[in-house]
Amino acid sequence: MSWFQALILGLIQGLTEYLPVSSSGHLTIGANLFGLNGEENLAFSVAVHVATVFSTCVILWKEIVWLFQDFFKFKWNEGTKYIVNILISMIPVAIVGFFFKDQVEAIFGSGLLVVGICLLITATLLAFSYFAKPRQKENISPLHAFIIGIAQAVAVLPGLSRSGSTISTGLLLGNKKEKLAQFSFLMVIPPILGEALLDVKDMLEVGVETTMAGLPTTSLIIGFIAAFVSGCLACKWMIDIVKKGKLIWFAVYCAIVGLLTIVLPYCL
């Protein structure tokens, strides 16, 4: 992997992790365009995903500090309730990660057709959430946190946006836009870190030298920095977009890219 490829893929990861257009889908498309094998670049995948976690912590540091301060008061307060909701939202994705990891990885290697179809599903979800007008609820309930968690678990499929699925589901349930984007980005931190740890475990089993083959240290650093910087920008931008309720344009984008992803391989 050249430094230029690492730069482009890092930028794609950082931007698309937060924008509702699917980071996994875009990385799959980018890797195919560059002729890269994802299994041979496992270390790069770990680096850029950890970079996006860091970007979340930078943008939402006030909320994270507040959560820890409330939690360590050891009282049933707003911060503790919020953390419990995050833990509840993790249950579905933890089940998928522990029991269906091999099946999910097989889907990732099944080609661009799955990516295109999932992008169309993402577009449909975003469109529904834009036009639906459910009754607004003041706070995210444990039940809603679990349902949003199911959306996050399903979004492990390449092309099905994690942020798009969780935010759309929350909007359809009637949760307030102002609180939903932050919850969506905070709830994703533990699963991404957990996925990174599982990938590190796979790297150690295969051998670090094998997984780092074809990946210069310079490319790894450039990819990490690119994912972190673009992740910071996308995280802040997405929070503002959700507040303004302008997700419909991402639905149009996902629909176009999804159709192109399905059709173009048969035209070339």
Side-chain angles (χ1 to χ4, degrees), residues 1-4 6-7 44 212 215-225:
M1 180 185 293
S2 68
W3 70 266
F4 180 74
L7 174 65
F44 182 81
M212 290 289 287
L215 179 61
T217 303
T218 303
S219 297
L220 188 66
I221 295 172
I222 289 174
F224 181 91
I225 295 173

Side-chain angles (χ1 to χ4, degrees), residues 28 39 103-112 114 158:
T28 301
E39 292 181 359
Q103 289 86 339
V104 171
E105 289 178 349
I107 294 173
F108 267 83
S110 58
L112 292 178
V114 173

